[in-house]
Amino acid sequence: MRELYLKAPAKINLALHVKGLREDGFHELQMIMQSISLADRIKLKKKSGGIIVKNSHTELPTGRENLAYQAAEIFFKNNPEINQGVEIYIEKNIPIAAGLAGGSTDAAAVMKGLYLLFELEYDLKELRSFLENIGSDVPYCLEGGTVYASGRGEILEELPFIGEKYLVVVTPAFKISTPEVYKLYDQIKGYDKFDFDSVQNNLKNDQEIDWELDYKNDLKKAAEKICPEIKEIKDIFKNTKAEFTMLSGSGPTVFSIYSSRELAEKAAARWPRKNDFVTVAKTVPSY
Ligand code: C5P
């Protein structure tokens, strides 16, 4: 195989609970992750040597700071018998630094893609442990789906797929620094009570999601303080007949889930804030 095309889906969080600050500086988390159809497209092409990253977005770095580059570097280090290189082209559709795991999903796709391109077998567990070094969300992005993630975000338990649901994803033109949100979270904290067990039970045992349970995001207060536009976006969503609205990850992306595709499309078509990234997507199962 000389080249390969891959899809790298974005994720949203349906719940995000911060349990506390760990000694290593990361936070102990409980999260429900969900993949969505909004995706980057990646092309991998064999080269005589080296790693080259190209992309459709001028703001994205193409060197070592790019997580996809780091994934390729780890791949070649762990497979020294390969004496070729790769050119990676990323068609960037997922907003950057938006709480949608855009960089993480590219890295996971490149890692999996390189094993396919060079026709090597891989062990999923091993791949996840390689990817943990790139970022907390990257192991999840290898297969996606509806997942309970704990630890830093790298301990994964697959849940039943929540089914195909339509949503509108809105990202203001404001890049949020995740460490900054966590830093502010440490000062102001999140919700006083968070019944994560009930959320997990609901997803494991019931046919329908009970949005009245603690489907919420502990990073909300901190993210809204840093980016007040989040609140404005939520206020607009309130008048769109959404079933559920929440901040994804550390933001600033806000999404709303609708009972039908038509309602989602109507909300997106009538979106009044012209500088926001707005798209209709649907939830997707593990890939
Ligand atoms: O793991 P990742 O590189 O994506 O994390 C980015 C930043 O988010 C970390 O440097 C840290 O500030 C914060 N973070 C955290 N606890 C986690 C995950 C991320 O504090 N579990």
Side-chain angles (χ1 to χ4, degrees), residues 21 25-29 104 134-137 151-153 178-180 182:
L21 180 60
F26 283 92
H27 291 75
E28 191 67 18
L29 304 175
S104 301
I134 302 179
S136 308
D137 282 348
R152 260 171 67 195
T178 302
E180 201 188 325
Y182 275 102

Side-chain angles (χ1 to χ4, degrees), residues 204-243:
K204 278 183 189 165
N205 304 318
D206 304 334
Q207 287 290 331
E208 294 291 321
I209 296 184
D210 179 359
W211 295 118
E212 296 301 313
L213 296 173
D214 284 349
Y215 291 95
K216 55 190 189 185
N217 186 339
D218 264 336
L219 297 176
K220 174 185 136 165
K221 260 199 261 173
E224 283 181 2
K225 230 179 176 158
I226 293 169
C227 174
E229 291 180 57
I230 293 170
K231 189 102 204 336
E232 290 171 29
I233 291 168
K234 278 191 182 160
D235 286 342
I236 296 170
F237 270 135
K238 269 185 197 146
N239 298 318
T240 63
K241 298 190 180 129
E243 271 186 2

Side-chain angles (χ1 to χ4, degrees), residues 25-281:
F26 283 92
H27 291 75
E28 191 67 18
L29 304 175
Q30 289 187 298
M31 298 185 283
I32 304 296
M33 319 278 263
Q34 175 61 56
S35 309
I36 59 172
S37 56
L38 171 64
D40 289 342
R41 282 175 193 279
I42 291 173
K43 180 181 173 189
L44 301 179
K45 194 163 127 197
K46 281 183 186 167
K47 299 273 294 175
S48 54
I51 301 167
I52 296 175
V53 177
K54 296 180 175 174
N55 64 69
S56 62
H57 201 294
T58 50
E59 283 175 49
L60 258 194
T62 52
R64 270 214 93 242
E65 319 87 88
N66 191 308
L67 303 187
Y69 185 100
Q70 291 177 30
E73 211 173 38
I74 295 173
F75 170 82
F76 287 111
K77 208 157 132 204
N78 283 283
N79 295 283
E81 71 281 9
I82 294 174
N83 52 13
Q84 283 177 288
V86 69
E87 183 181 300
I88 302 165
Y89 178 76
I90 305 171
E91 180 194 299
K92 199 77 206 149
N93 302 315
I94 306 171
I96 296 167
L100 295 167
S104 301
T105 192
D106 294 346
V110 165
M111 179 65 85
K112 189 153 69 177
L114 285 170
Y115 277 87
L116 297 172
L117 185 70
F118 288 100
E119 292 166 54
L120 298 172
E121 293 203 351
Y122 61 84
D123 175 58
L124 211 59
K125 253 194 177 159
E126 191 184 35
L127 242 57
R128 280 191 184 144
S129 73
F130 290 161
L131 294 173
E132 235 179 89
N133 300 317
I134 302 179
S136 308
D137 282 348
V138 191
Y140 161 77
C141 293
L142 209 49
E143 291 187 312
T146 310
V147 167
Y148 166 55
S150 58
R152 260 171 67 195
E154 85 288 16
I155 304 170
L156 308 173
E157 182 190 328
E158 201 177 345
L159 297 171
F161 176 45
I162 61 165
E164 195 172 89
K165 292 185 186 297
Y166 281 86
L167 62 147
V168 176
V169 176
V170 175
T171 311
F174 186 104
K175 284 183 192 58
I176 263 193
S177 147
T178 302
E180 201 188 325
V181 175
Y182 275 102
K183 221 161 116 191
L184 188 58
Y185 168 88
D186 288 333
Q187 292 163 25
I188 62 177
K189 304 290 179 210
Y191 292 97
D192 291 336
K193 287 201 184 103
F194 209 125
D195 181 2
F196 210 91
D197 288 346
S198 298
V199 167
Q200 269 179 284
N201 283 335
N202 180 218
L203 291 170
K204 278 183 189 165
N205 304 318
D206 304 334
Q207 287 290 331
E208 294 291 321
I209 296 184
D210 179 359
W211 295 118
E212 296 301 313
L213 296 173
D214 284 349
Y215 291 95
K216 55 190 189 185
N217 186 339
D218 264 336
L219 297 176
K220 174 185 136 165
K221 260 199 261 173
E224 283 181 2
K225 230 179 176 158
I226 293 169
C227 174
E229 291 180 57
I230 293 170
K231 189 102 204 336
E232 290 171 29
I233 291 168
K234 278 191 182 160
D235 286 342
I236 296 170
F237 270 135
K238 269 185 197 146
N239 298 318
T240 63
K241 298 190 180 129
E243 271 186 2
F244 175 71
T245 300
M246 202 178 97
L247 174 76
S248 187
S250 54
T253 298
V254 179
F255 65 90
S256 277
I257 293 182
Y258 293 85
S259 58
S260 72
R261 180 187 186 148
E262 289 68 34
L263 278 177
E265 280 172 353
K266 214 183 241 178
R270 292 180 182 168
W271 194 256
R273 289 169 39 100
K274 295 301 165 217
N275 290 326
D276 293 342
F277 167 88
V278 182
T279 194
V280 176

